[in-house]
Structure formats: C-alpha cells, structure tokens
Amino acid sequence: MQDEHVILSPIGNIAEQCWLAVPQHFPQVQLDAYVVMPNHLHGIVIMSRMDQRPSTSLGQVINSFKGAVSRSAGQPVLQSRYYDHIIRNLQDADRIREYIHHNPARWESDQGLERAQ
C-alpha cells in the first residue's frame, strides 16, 4: 500500500490478470468494480443467462479464477472460501462499488480483521 493505493506484488498482478480474464472463459460473466488487495480481492460479478449454454454458477467462476491464480503462481494462493452477496438494486450496487473503491484507504485499520477471517 502506498498513499492509500494498492501496489500489486507479482502474485497480485497474476490475480488481477486472471480476474480480468474471467469473461473470456465465461461469456455470460461481466465484471464490474473490483480491487486486488494485499491478501484478498473484492469484485462485483454480473452473471447473465445465455440460453444456448449450460448454466454456470458463481462457485464455478470463483473456483476457476482461484485455480488459474494458483496455477500461474505455481502454488496455492487463495483461501478456499469466499463471501458472496446478491445485489438486488442499484442502491445496493452503488453502496458496494463505494465500499470497493474505498477499501484500499481502510487497509491499515482493517488488515488485522481481514487476516483473521
């Protein structure tokens, strides 16, 4: 972290590249706001239905992303669990985008909590 901005480590760069590649592997997925933090990632995933393809779950998308990061890094990097929240309206989406945007500024005060989870 520097001046409330994230400076990505080599593994952080891998995580960001894999995150941005998700829609290439899952055409029904769009990415919205995201931030790669020193020990986790926050991101909004928009999943649309594509009737010509079998349905893909959020779990499949996240597991694929985590596997790609681990393969590219040459080691397991991300914890097996994740937190999800269904965004139900524009107000909720804006609140979460704001949280993601300001997360780097809260890193110093939150890092003990984030590491404990």
Side-chain angles (χ1 to χ4, degrees), residues 19-116:
W19 182 253
L20 294 174
V22 165
Q24 295 169 19
H25 303 283
F26 297 96
Q28 68 275 30
V29 170
Q30 295 176 349
L31 302 178
D32 197 294
Y34 77 94
V35 64
V36 178
M37 297 294 291
N39 68 346
H40 64 284
L41 178 141
H42 293 282
I44 297 175
V45 175
I46 301 167
M47 300 192 64
S48 61
R49 300 192 113 204
M50 296 182 75
D51 294 331
Q52 67 272 25
R53 295 181 181 259
S55 180
T56 299
S57 72
L58 178 61
Q60 290 170 311
V61 172
I62 298 301
N63 287 336
S64 176
F65 160 71
K66 290 179 176 188
V69 173
S70 294
R71 281 188 303 281
S72 295
Q75 62 184 350
V77 175
L78 302 168
Q79 64 185 6
S80 61
R81 57 197 168 90
Y82 65 93
Y83 173 79
D84 63 351
H85 171 81
I86 297 173
I87 297 173
R88 300 195 182 276
N89 56 49
L90 186 56
Q91 180 181 1
D92 198 19
D94 288 343
R95 179 184 59 80
I96 293 169
R97 286 182 188 114
E98 189 77 10
Y99 175 85
I100 290 170
H101 176 75
H102 291 292
N103 200 256
R106 290 189 296 271
W107 171 249
E108 290 300 320
S109 63
D110 286 351
Q111 65 179 318
L113 175 62
E114 292 289 347
R115 289 187 177 136

Side-chain angles (χ1 to χ4, degrees), residues 1-8 104-105:
M1 301 293 296
Q2 183 178 10
D3 298 327
E4 299 180 355
H5 293 92
V6 178
I7 297 174
L8 296 178

